[in-house]
Amino acid sequence: MTLPFDGPGRRVMPPMRRELRRLILIVAALVFVVMFVVPWLATFATDWLWFREVGFTAVYLTSLGWRVALFVVGAGLAYAIVGGNIRLAAGRPGKTPALFIHRPNQPPLDVTAVVPRMLRLGALLVAFVVAVSLSALWMTFVQALHAAPVGTADPLFGRDIGFYMFQLPAVSVGLGLVIALLVLSLAAVLLVYVLRGELPLVPRHAVANPGAERHVGALLAALFLLTAVRLWIVRSAELLYSTTGPLAGASYTDVHVMLPGIRLSAAVAVIGAGLVLYGAARGKLLRWGLIAVGAYAAVGVVARGIVPYAVQRLVVLPNELVKETPYLKDHIVATRAAWGISGVQTRPLSGEARLTMADIKANAPTINNVRLWERDLLQQTFKQLQEIRTYYDFVSVNDDRYTIDGDYRQVHLSARELNSSSLPTQTFINNRLTFTHGMGVTMAPVNQVTSEGLPVLFIQDLPPTSSEGFALKRPEIYYGQLTDSYVFVHTAQKEFDYPSGDSDVYTSYAGTGGVPVGSFWRRALYAWEFGSAKILFSSDITAGARIMYHRNIMDRATTALPFLQFDPEPYVVVTDSGGLEWVLDGYTTSGGYPYSEPVGDNNYMRNSVKVTINAYNGAITAYAMDPNDPVLRTYEAIFPGIFRPLADMPADIVRHLRYPGRLFRIQATLEATYHMDAPDAFYHREDQWQIPAPSNQGGEAVPFMRHIIMRLPGEQKEEFIYMTPFTPRGKDNLAAWMVARMDGAHYGQLMVYQFPKQSLVYGPRQIVNRINQDTDISRQITLWDQRGSQVIRGELLVIPIEESLVYVQPLFLRASGGSIPELKRVVVASGNRVVMGETLDQALNAMFGSGAAVPVSEAADTLDTGAVSPAAPPAAGAAAAPAGTVAQLLQQAQDHYDRALAAQRAGNWAEYGRQIDALGAVIRQLQSRQHQ
């Protein structure tokens, strides 16, 4: 059908076509509303209800307000710059239209009219992208407005470091955004003017329109000026993070060559702006524009490329230490300050102390809390002994300390959580209404075992019971590490509480957690949000029902406090009132600390926030640990009232605060190098340390970094610490050990105890080699490690005692195909000696006490209480020295061997060990007869 036309190139749309177009627009609008607007509104409503429930509406409203404001500002700014320039160019009286014939018998298309319309649509798209991007960076801008000073100036420009941490990122983003918009505007305007013939591609054949030249010249001059500002402020400041030299921070070349080159480029950019404006005013924009761009590019290549490269290669590298010494000092000081190791206290050790039994007894609290159980092995044991039902699970095992019967004891603690994916029947009622929570914790001392080699349990079973005075009055876990899905409480459906014999015990939630969801509209809202119509139509969800979501404690904390990073190891505390409280370590971080060594994306970190989450009602409380942290002070200015002072934290939580593992690992790794504060020693790495490599492939990621209860040298009382040893880089002997203190007023203090360089103190790898070379221990392990059993060598424990060390390694035995490891032997090493006993007591007595002459194989089978006690007498029939002829001894050896095999087949490992010990005694008697 041929359409009528109204003038050249303009179509007149028929009424039917107009109605169809209107209908399409209406349908598109409805689809947009259903697919985008309604889901956003539902998410907004559910988020608002959740933030109101937990009391963090200030975070939500501040975030939402800034996001909306930056979206509007970003969209308006972007369209004003790009769209405004396009309209200005297209609205000028043009020359002859550029016509394009695209179909025969159709009027030609005026390109000069179509292209601006397309560019304006492109400007809308650019405005949307800018708005979304800018709103995502809301924290960058709000931090710049509320920046707290650090109180330390950078050594190059003398600005407060807070400028680089908080304000420089916003300045960089703002300048970069405007420059990008001007570049897009310039490209669009040039396209319009060239198509209209107002800026000819070949100036000799046509004359440029003065107005078009002035417009393009103004845009180009603005680009030059903003580039100059960015060079002077942002690019100069970025030198403080340079990697041109040997380390992070401005180096000799950066300060003496690159910085002058940047400033020269900025000056040339300002001059270039003047040249462009001059050319536009004189009608010679192209000539002067090319001169300005060429001059700026040439200066940039020479002053910021060729000359710095040549100076670095020809002047600095041959004399690097001399040239870089002042900047190495700045780097060391900044790194130690940014990562919180500037206050590490160093104390020398003699390295010549020889331990005696008196030293062991004087440090009984340390010995009584030697951590024999590996957390991963203990987790396997908990799973087998204490999960009770298949739908319970132990996610992790954590270290903590409690005062039990007047003794300061280190324990392992693990929460028994509900794993809904393991429920035998996956239904809405089971997953959302009935099975809503986990139940209680399992607690075990770190070094006690039963006669079968299994852990002693201080808290166990369902409902949780304790032999040590712990009374769990609120053991239910509605909020934990496995609670990834939403549930409903206060419904018509009873909640499963715990199994009791052949029956089950049910309960009804009595807390305040969750959002009320009894009304029809609330149910409809959550049905839409979670995509389940059952929420709307279920008769079990009554008027008093509440919905719990964001129940995973990591998700809960990051949702409430999205600007913090959290340590990946939360831990649960049994409170004095019998409840369970989760504790999470929150980190304030920054990547903008000048001269500091980066680790990942950050070069500054503090554990300035402790977050507690109640396992029953989900209450979130954030406590300020470090009021001097500038990042925390900035957040407090942005979100007033959300952080409570540490003095408000309950005493029964304060007693269990731990120094966070992720931060300590970073600090220990940095301290291994940055304890050398002299630039020449630091440059040569002449005294660099390292954390020892693991002695086997299993165990923890950093096996020698452990929690220990011990009395530090020079202190009067034992305390809970985080400890790691250091060996010289590339060597195996011990150089020092580092601790993070956690108790009372000493919380957060970092200390390094350093051995003399001239003394030889065996390191972990050397001790492992000595254990492997011990014939008695090797024989015992060889006898065990055969078909039907598996020997698991625990990680080597480094135990500081006075000014010396004791090494302890537990040995576990597990039946082939089994999953319950049993602690069977303990190896102790000190100095040049290595001994093994069935318990830590026996091994220590063999090493330091009256049992020092007792062979390893003659250790008795006793219950290890962790206390230092005299060696027990040999078990009857197991280690008594046999007598008789050689034939009789051979018969006894055969009898013990047969009994050992029978015990092994029966799984009686205690009897198996006794018979193997007796066999060893017979073999030694035979050897003595041979030498007679």
Side-chain angles (χ1 to χ4, degrees), residues 466-479:
S466 172
S467 60
E468 301 296 332
F470 292 97
L472 282 180
K473 299 177 182 179
R474 270 292 172 219
E476 299 91 345
I477 301 175
Y478 285 86
Y479 301 86

Side-chain angles (χ1 to χ4, degrees), residues 412-440:
H412 288 304
L413 199 63
S414 185
R416 184 186 294 103
E417 298 199 47
L418 179 73
N419 189 344
S420 59
S421 63
S422 298
L423 291 173
T425 305
Q426 298 287 324
T427 64
F428 179 80
I429 291 178
N430 273 356
N431 289 43
R432 309 300 183 193
L433 307 179
T434 303
F435 291 90
T436 57
H437 59 275
M439 174 59 68

Side-chain angles (χ1 to χ4, degrees), residues 578-869:
L580 298 176
E581 202 82 22
W582 292 98
V583 181
L584 295 84
D585 289 287
Y587 296 118
T588 54
T589 60
S590 174
Y593 201 102
Y595 285 92
S596 174
E597 180 70 14
V599 177
D601 296 331
N602 303 314
N603 63 7
Y604 174 94
M605 179 179 284
R606 290 289 187 276
N607 174 219
S608 294
V609 179
K610 299 285 188 182
V611 175
T612 62
I613 300 178
N614 187 274
Y616 188 70
N617 58 41
I620 307 172
T621 309
Y623 297 94
M625 288 291 295
D626 185 0
N628 296 319
D629 174 22
V631 181
L632 179 61
R633 286 189 283 122
T634 299
Y635 289 147
E636 287 179 319
I638 299 170
F639 309 106
I642 68 168
F643 296 106
R644 298 175 62 178
L646 182 61
D648 290 350
M649 181 180 285
D652 56 350
I653 302 296
V654 174
R655 290 196 300 268
H656 297 279
L657 293 181
R658 297 189 333 194
Y659 199 82
R662 178 186 171 195
L663 178 59
F664 185 64
R665 285 189 286 271
I666 295 174
Q667 289 175 323
T669 303
L670 292 172
E671 179 67 17
T673 300
Y674 287 86
H675 71 276
M676 300 177 289
D677 53 6
D680 54 345
F682 183 89
Y683 179 83
H684 293 298
R685 300 291 201 272
E686 59 186 42
D687 190 26
Q688 187 175 13
W689 303 333
Q690 64 183 14
I691 298 174
S695 56
N696 58 30
Q697 297 302 315
E700 302 173 21
V702 188
F704 299 109
M705 191 172 290
R706 290 175 177 265
H707 295 93
I708 302 175
I709 287 181
M710 65 168 291
R711 181 169 61 84
L712 294 172
E715 299 293 334
Q716 301 300 316
K717 186 179 179 181
E718 69 274 8
E719 55 188 286
F720 193 59
I721 63 167
Y722 210 177
M723 178 265 187
T724 186
F726 291 123
T727 60
R729 188 169 184 267
K731 296 184 180 180
D732 293 330
N733 60 289
L734 211 63
W737 46 280
M738 180 177 179
V739 302
R741 306 175 74 176
M742 304 191 200
D743 287 351
H746 298 301
Y747 179 89
Q749 289 184 4
L750 301 177
M751 305 186 69
V752 170
Y753 294 86
Q754 188 170 355
F755 294 104
K757 295 181 182 179
Q758 67 273 13
S759 66
L760 174 60
V761 179
Y762 287 129
R765 187 178 295 275
Q766 294 168 319
I767 294 297
V768 169
N769 292 336
R770 295 188 67 83
I771 293 174
N772 293 337
Q773 294 165 6
D774 186 278
T775 55
D776 287 331
I777 297 175
S778 298
R779 185 190 314 118
Q780 186 80 75
I781 293 176
T782 302
L783 289 171
W784 273 338
D785 204 1
Q786 55 184 299
R787 191 180 68 175
S789 62
Q790 175 191 6
V791 175
I792 303 172
R793 304 181 66 162
E795 290 294 347
L796 189 67
L797 308 173
V798 185
I799 313 296
I801 302 290
E802 300 296 342
E803 294 202 0
S804 187
L805 296 169
V806 172
Y807 288 92
V808 177
Q809 184 176 49
L811 299 180
F812 300 87
L813 198 63
R814 180 166 56 194
S816 179
S819 55
I820 302 181
E822 300 175 5
L823 179 60
K824 286 300 181 183
R825 294 292 187 272
V826 179
V827 179
V828 172
S830 179
N832 294 319
R833 298 191 61 218
V834 177
V835 299
M836 181 171 73
E838 289 196 11
T839 66
L840 178 61
D841 292 354
Q842 293 178 8
L844 289 171
N845 275 288
M847 176 66 71
F848 301 108
S850 59
V854 178
V856 168
S857 60
E858 296 184 11
D861 182 17
T862 61
L863 176 65
D864 180 18
T865 63
V868 178
S869 59

Side-chain angles (χ1 to χ4, degrees), residues 11-348:
R11 297 181 181 181
V12 178
M13 187 174 294
M16 184 178 297
R17 183 70 61 87
R18 286 198 297 269
E19 292 299 326
L20 179 62
R21 182 177 179 181
R22 186 179 296 111
L23 180 61
I24 291 174
L25 290 175
I26 292 173
V27 171
L30 289 175
V31 170
F32 177 80
V33 169
V34 172
M35 293 186 64
F36 297 101
V37 177
V38 172
W40 183 86
L41 289 175
T43 301
F44 166 79
T46 54
D47 286 348
W48 165 253
L49 291 172
W50 184 86
F51 274 95
R52 190 174 65 176
E53 177 218 345
V54 298
F56 281 78
T57 54
V59 175
Y60 187 65
L61 292 178
T62 301
S63 169
L64 181 64
W66 274 95
R67 288 176 186 272
V68 172
L70 287 173
F71 186 93
V72 173
V73 170
L77 178 66
Y79 192 78
I81 293 176
V82 179
N85 279 288
I86 293 171
R87 286 183 177 275
L88 180 61
R92 296 180 54 81
K95 295 188 177 181
T96 304
L99 301 179
F100 174 69
I101 301 175
H102 59 104
R103 285 182 183 178
N105 303 321
Q106 295 288 334
L109 192 65
D110 185 359
V111 176
T112 60
V114 173
V115 169
R117 287 200 295 270
M118 295 177 62
L119 290 176
R120 281 194 289 270
L121 290 176
L124 289 173
L125 178 61
V126 168
F128 178 77
V129 171
V130 169
V132 172
S133 303
L134 210 59
S135 65
L137 296 173
W138 68 275
M139 182 55 76
T140 299
F141 292 96
V142 73
Q143 278 187 323
L145 290 178
H146 296 86
V150 175
T152 303
D154 79 273
L156 184 57
F157 302 109
R159 299 190 188 104
D160 186 90
I161 289 175
F163 168 79
Y164 303 98
M165 296 175 66
F166 307 118
Q167 294 166 325
L168 181 64
V171 173
S172 179
V173 169
L175 287 173
L177 173 64
V178 177
I179 289 174
L181 293 175
L182 287 177
V183 169
L184 291 175
S185 300
L186 182 61
V189 165
L190 284 173
L191 178 60
V192 171
Y193 283 138
V194 169
L195 287 175
R196 291 162 61 93
E198 297 187 69
L199 286 179
L201 296 176
V202 184
R204 294 180 180 180
H205 302 289
V207 178
N209 185 295
E213 281 197 331
R214 287 193 294 271
H215 186 186
V216 173
L219 288 176
L220 194 55
L223 271 175
F224 270 121
L225 290 175
L226 288 175
T227 300
V229 173
R230 190 178 189 282
L231 284 169
W232 196 270
I233 298 177
V234 178
R235 185 66 187 93
S236 297
E238 288 174 349
L239 293 178
L240 301 181
Y241 315 104
S242 170
T243 56
T244 302
L247 296 163
S251 65
Y252 178 90
T253 301
D254 294 320
V255 174
H256 293 88
V257 182
M258 183 63 78
L259 181 58
I262 290 173
R263 289 174 173 172
L264 178 60
S265 293
V268 171
V270 174
I271 295 172
L275 293 177
V276 168
L277 293 176
Y278 174 79
R282 297 293 301 271
K284 298 179 179 179
L285 175 63
L286 182 60
R287 176 189 300 176
W288 290 103
L290 290 175
I291 292 174
V293 172
Y296 174 78
V299 169
V301 169
V302 174
R304 292 187 284 141
I306 296 175
V307 174
Y309 179 83
V311 171
Q312 181 68 21
R313 292 289 178 179
L314 303 178
V315 178
V316 176
L317 289 182
N319 308 281
E320 190 170 45
L321 179 56
V322 175
K323 298 292 186 183
E324 302 288 8
T325 292
Y327 312 106
L328 286 174
K329 289 182 181 178
D330 296 334
H331 172 77
I332 295 170
V333 170
T335 298
R336 293 182 63 83
W339 289 103
I341 56 176
S342 57
V344 174
Q345 302 177 32
T346 301
R347 294 186 180 178

